Amino acid sequence: MLYHLRKKFLCLSLFFLIISSLLSGCVSIEVASTHTESDDNLIKVPTDVTDYGPITAATYGTVALTDHGLYLIEQHGSDFVSLMYGDLATQRKVFLCANPSCEHNTEACTSYIPIQMGYAHPGIMSLNNELYFVQAAQVEDTPPHIAVVSEDGLNHKQIVQLPSSWRISSPYICKDSSYFYFFAEIVDSESGNSRTSLIQASADGGGLTEIFNFNAEDSAQYSLVGAVDRQLVVVRYPIIGETEEYKYYRITPHGNISDELSETPLYVSNNHDVLAQLYPNGLLSTSVTKNGTANLCIKDLTKDEEVLIAVTAFDLGLSEINSAFMRIPAPDCYILVAYDNQSMHEFLYDKTAEEFRPYTLEKHGDYATGTPDIIGEWEDYFILCTGDKNSKFDLYSTDGTLDTSDTIQITYALIPKNDFFSNNENYMIIE
């Protein structure tokens, strides 16, 4: 099956003119403000005009990938989780601890991370090849914070601390050479009212600056979804009663930041592809015509290049296409997700043959279903989330009685890229 594929080069100056056009109706805040530990109020300060280089984005969760390997957070006890290291060369997973006689269940162990039952565990992420812990909300006496972690797990240095009434409220955190950027829910200690704001946090000293308060003039909700080159990208969720569209906007976080949320969206999508349209230095857009043709557009913003792909339900072996979106989980890997009136279907796009074919790899485990998720690549392999399994740990009751409790451990594996594209389940489990 061959499909239409063509490239066209856009006018770079026109593109950036559209993006940077600042209209009077922009959602904005009059001036940036910063938080001090001595005062929960935000104090006005001048904006910063220094360029701090490209911005990278990541989500925090139970796994992070750096050039040195895979890092995971797993629960092994009722009151702690463990920092694990996955050696990709040997497919072995070990506690991040150098003591061969350690039982990895006390604070003497470098892999040991205390937790409180009933609270969210700390997350882990990799930004600019650095490893970080993220505690999104207050847990007993521990405030929300971001901490940098050394590769061997020996050193944890808290570099950003939020007030106890704040909460990191979206999964994406971005960073340039000097600052972190994230959304936070801020609760006023006197009135109890809350607002959601985009925060700039210094990586050297932890100073907090409120860049935008999106709820001030607009009843819609906004969320940070990543970064493209030197700009943050946020998505605007629809207001009740509006046409159900998600609109993407750029923000330049330095310079005259009070005026740089463009009124013209970078992209408008339907509700199926809200978090699937952004990848490093590029954007994906998808639309389905009335006759059921899916038009897929891949924009590379660094090369000013646009790839257009048109595919019909007949091409995919479906009766119809109600909605569709495309994602690029890793460079040169394109996955089309299409919905008909029955269910969801996934297809791999072969750029050489210019065709789609079914993506049929499966997850395996006690609960997992669906196709494996790509979380990164290493040499000639993709790193996949391939399933899950039940795991037990000791649980002591208040009277000292020993019992056991269950938790779910995610399973990860390598797969040669050729096997992936051939739908051959040659999983090399990291265990």
Side-chain angles (χ1 to χ4, degrees):
M1 295 183 291
L2 295 180
Y3 308 98
H4 179 62
L5 176 66
R6 66 186 180 91
K7 297 183 178 180
K8 65 177 182 179
F9 290 88
L10 306 177
C11 175
L12 185 60
S13 59
L14 177 60
F15 177 81
F16 283 103
L17 178 62
I18 295 173
I19 296 303
S20 60
S21 295
L22 305 175
L23 304 179
S24 59
C26 297
V27 178
S28 64
I29 187 170
E30 289 185 0
V31 64
S33 50
T34 191
H35 175 272
T36 65
E37 288 300 323
S38 60
D39 189 351
D40 276 347
N41 296 320
L42 293 164
I43 302 171
K44 295 180 180 179
V45 295
T47 57
D48 192 340
V49 296
T50 306
D51 177 14
Y52 293 97
I55 302 172
T56 57
T59 57
Y60 54 94
T62 59
V63 62
L65 179 66
T66 74
D67 288 347
H68 307 286
L70 199 65
Y71 295 84
L72 309 103
I73 292 179
E74 294 184 349
Q75 186 166 7
H76 293 113
S78 61
D79 58 356
F80 71 95
V81 292
S82 301
L83 180 59
M84 311 292 292
Y85 172 72
D87 188 327
L88 300 178
T90 62
Q91 294 90 60
R92 299 297 297 173
K93 184 172 58 179
V94 298
F95 289 90
L96 202 60
C97 173
N99 182 358
S101 61
C102 184
E103 295 185 1
H104 314 299
N105 59 2
T106 70
E107 292 186 353
C109 177
T110 54
S111 72
Y112 183 94
I113 306 168
I115 61 170
Q116 297 293 328
M117 293 293 285
Y119 289 91
H121 300 171
I124 192 171
M125 68 177 180
S126 174
L127 277 171
N128 295 331
N129 212 35
E130 294 281 346
L131 202 61
Y132 297 94
F133 283 149
V134 177
Q135 181 68 57
Q138 178 89 5
V139 177
E140 291 198 338
D141 295 331
T142 304
H145 66 270
I146 300 173
V148 64
V149 184
S150 61
E151 298 167 13
D152 56 10
L154 290 173
N155 300 308
H156 301 179
K157 181 182 178 183
Q158 191 175 117
I159 52 179
V160 172
Q161 179 175 313
L162 278 63
S164 60
S165 60
W166 292 27
R167 180 179 68 87
I168 298 176
S169 59
S170 61
Y172 279 89
I173 294 181
C174 300
K175 186 179 183 297
D176 56 25
S177 62
S178 298
Y179 294 96
F180 293 93
Y181 305 90
F182 51 84
F183 270 72
E185 181 183 358
I186 301 172
V187 178
D188 187 278
S189 57
E190 295 182 0
S191 67
N193 296 328
S194 66
R195 65 183 183 276
T196 300
S197 296
L198 180 58
I199 303 299
Q200 178 193 77
S202 171
D204 181 16
L208 304 174
T209 301
E210 184 178 8
I211 300 179
F212 285 101
N213 177 353
F214 292 99
N215 298 336
E217 301 177 13
D218 188 348
S219 59
Q221 295 294 312
Y222 290 78
S223 180
L224 183 64
V225 293
V228 172
D229 192 25
R230 298 181 180 180
Q231 295 178 313
L232 304 171
V233 176
V234 299
V235 60
R236 179 186 182 274
Y237 295 88
I239 302 171
I240 296 176
E242 287 188 346
T243 303
E244 193 165 356
E245 291 180 333
Y246 295 79
K247 298 180 180 179
Y248 290 76
Y249 296 89
R250 287 181 180 227
I251 299 176
T252 303
H254 308 294
N256 189 14
I257 53 181
S258 64
D259 293 326
E260 294 196 18
L261 178 61
S262 170
E263 184 178 74
T264 303
L266 180 64
Y267 174 63
V268 178
S269 70
N270 63 38
N271 60 343
H272 288 297
D273 54 7
V274 57
L275 295 180
Q277 298 302 314
L278 195 66
Y279 68 98
N281 295 321
L283 208 83
L284 297 171
S285 61
T286 309
S287 62
V288 179
T289 64
K290 291 182 179 180
N291 66 2
T293 298
N295 292 317
L296 315 172
C297 176
I298 306 169
K299 293 183 179 181
D300 187 325
L301 302 181
T302 60
K303 299 179 181 178
D304 190 26
E305 181 178 287
E306 185 174 274
V307 178
L308 299 178
I309 304 168
V311 60
T312 67
F314 178 81
D315 295 329
L316 300 175
L318 303 177
S319 59
E320 61 182 338
I321 301 176
N322 289 333
S323 62
F325 68 90
M326 201 172 192
R327 54 191 172 94
I328 304 178
D332 295 323
C333 179
Y334 300 79
I335 297 177
L336 171 66
V337 182
Y339 296 82
D340 58 15
N341 59 356
Q342 298 292 327
S343 57
M344 180 186 79
H345 308 269
E346 293 184 86
F347 303 87
L348 291 170
Y349 181 65
D350 185 329
K351 292 194 300 180
T352 302
E354 301 179 10
E355 66 179 14
F356 288 94
R357 56 178 180 271
Y359 176 31
T360 60
L361 295 180
E362 294 183 0
K363 287 183 177 178
H364 301 282
D366 295 316
Y367 303 99
T369 59
T371 54
D373 303 309
I374 296 179
I375 63 171
E377 57 181 333
W378 175 72
E379 296 184 349
D380 292 325
Y381 302 88
F382 287 130
I383 307 169
L384 305 180
C385 169
T386 54
D388 55 29
K389 62 180 180 180
N390 270 327
S391 180
K392 296 183 180 297
F393 58 82
D394 291 340
L395 180 65
Y396 289 89
S397 62
T398 54
D399 62 3
T401 305
L402 178 63
D403 201 352
T404 59
S405 183
D406 293 336
T407 187
I408 300 172
Q409 306 287 24
I410 307 299
T411 56
Y412 299 94
L414 297 177
I415 185 172
K417 291 181 179 180
N418 289 338
D419 285 320
F420 177 86
F421 289 116
S422 300
N423 285 309
N424 178 23
E425 290 189 5
N426 183 17
Y427 298 155
M428 303 161 62
I429 305 297
I430 301 170
E431 55 186 357

